[in-house]
């Protein structure tokens, strides 16, 4: 079963086009994603359901005419009008030039354990703080303190979604700098 937390919004069906079931869609992703026969996921009565494109034709810079398999009439296509289009996050990585900023939401890392290659388990991700130019992982230690870790490749080596772990390699000073001292 497809879970909503595993999805990223990649576009929206706007209106029907002609009489054979085509839909006008705005896609926020490289059209290769659709052409590579990846599913376009639409919520039907609150349940994410995969659909596959039979054809895709450009209509502008980000607008496309999409014909879904087994949607053959304008009446069938009307059910998709104004529906958001989603994709599985795990399928999107190769279709973006940047570091999956679009693919992963801030909330996706909440609750992940942070394990450093030297210091061991540091704590649990409470949130991502993107209120400044430098995005920070806010980690809550077992004793309730907060540690701020720059969310950069230099320190974050791997994100293991299966085990919900963020693997880091932090300078010792970064950890001790964040910890409150008893006075």
């Amino acid at each position: 079963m497809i879970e909503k937390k595993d999805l990223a919004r990649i576009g929206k069906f706007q209106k029907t086009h002609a009489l054979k079931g085509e839909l006008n869609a705005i896609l926020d992703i490289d059209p290769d994603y659709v052409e590579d026969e990846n599913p376009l996921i639409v919520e039907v009565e609150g349940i994410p359901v995969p659909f596959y494109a039979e054809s895709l034709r450009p209509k502008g810079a980000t607008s496309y005419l999409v014909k879904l398999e087994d949607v053959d009439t304008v009446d069938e296509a009307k059910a998709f009008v104004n529906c958001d289009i989603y994709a599985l996050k795990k399928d999107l990585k190769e279709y973006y030039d940047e570091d999956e900023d679009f693919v992963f939401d801030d909330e996706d890392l909440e609750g992940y354990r942070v394990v450093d290659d030297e210091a061991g388990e540091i704590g649990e991700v409470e949130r991502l703080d993107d209120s400044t130019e430098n995005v920070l992982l806010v980690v809550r230690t077992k004793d309730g303190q907060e540690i701020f870790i720059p969310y950069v490749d230099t320190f974050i080596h791997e994100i293991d979604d299966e085990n919900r772990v963020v693997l880091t390699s932090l300078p010792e000073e970064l950890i001790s700098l964040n910890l409150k001292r008893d006075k």
Side-chain angles (χ1 to χ4, degrees):
M1 184 168 147
I2 299 171
E3 305 238 359
K4 290 182 184 180
K5 68 177 180 59
D6 297 328
L7 299 176
R9 185 182 177 283
I10 61 167
K12 185 172 188 154
F13 289 117
Q14 293 188 307
K15 59 184 178 180
T16 60
H17 177 80
L19 302 173
K20 305 238 176 180
E22 276 188 310
L23 289 149
N24 186 341
I26 300 295
L27 295 177
D28 302 324
I29 189 168
D30 188 315
D32 287 346
Y33 173 83
V34 178
E35 292 168 350
D36 289 345
E37 300 180 9
N38 287 298
L40 300 174
I41 299 170
V42 177
E43 283 191 57
V44 177
E45 296 179 11
I47 299 169
V49 177
F51 294 89
Y52 293 87
E54 189 175 293
S55 66
L56 176 77
R57 297 184 295 148
K59 189 179 175 193
T62 60
S63 183
Y64 297 87
L65 295 177
V66 178
K67 167 69 176 73
L68 297 175
E69 291 179 357
D70 301 320
V71 176
D72 299 316
T73 68
V74 70
D75 288 333
E76 292 171 339
K78 282 181 183 176
F80 295 90
V81 172
N82 291 322
C83 288
D84 287 327
I85 304 168
Y86 298 92
L88 290 168
K89 292 176 185 176
K90 68 177 182 61
D91 294 340
L92 294 176
K93 293 178 186 176
E94 68 185 270
Y95 297 96
Y96 288 97
D97 295 333
E98 299 177 15
D99 280 349
E100 297 111 33
D101 287 341
F102 180 84
V103 178
F104 295 101
D105 298 324
D106 294 350
E107 302 86 43
D108 290 343
L109 294 176
E110 287 177 13
Y112 276 49
R113 291 182 308 117
V114 177
V115 179
D116 186 69
D117 57 6
E118 291 293 322
E121 187 160 342
I122 296 173
E124 193 173 283
V125 176
E126 194 168 82
R127 68 183 189 284
L128 276 176
D129 181 347
D130 61 358
S131 62
T132 64
E133 191 172 322
N134 299 315
V135 177
L136 300 170
L137 270 181
V138 180
V139 178
R140 179 73 60 189
T141 65
K142 289 181 182 182
D143 62 359
Q145 295 188 53
E146 284 185 338
I147 293 180
F148 297 90
I149 300 173
Y151 190 56
V152 294
D153 290 341
T154 307
F155 299 135
I156 311 292
H157 285 289
E158 183 181 344
I159 297 175
D160 179 352
D161 290 314
E162 188 173 323
N163 295 307
R164 297 181 50 85
V165 174
V166 177
L167 300 172
T168 65
S169 181
L170 303 173
E172 184 180 327
E173 300 81 25
L174 182 68
I175 297 170
S176 61
L177 176 70
N178 278 274
L179 295 176
K180 295 179 182 167
R181 306 255 191 276
D182 289 334
K183 293 185 179 183

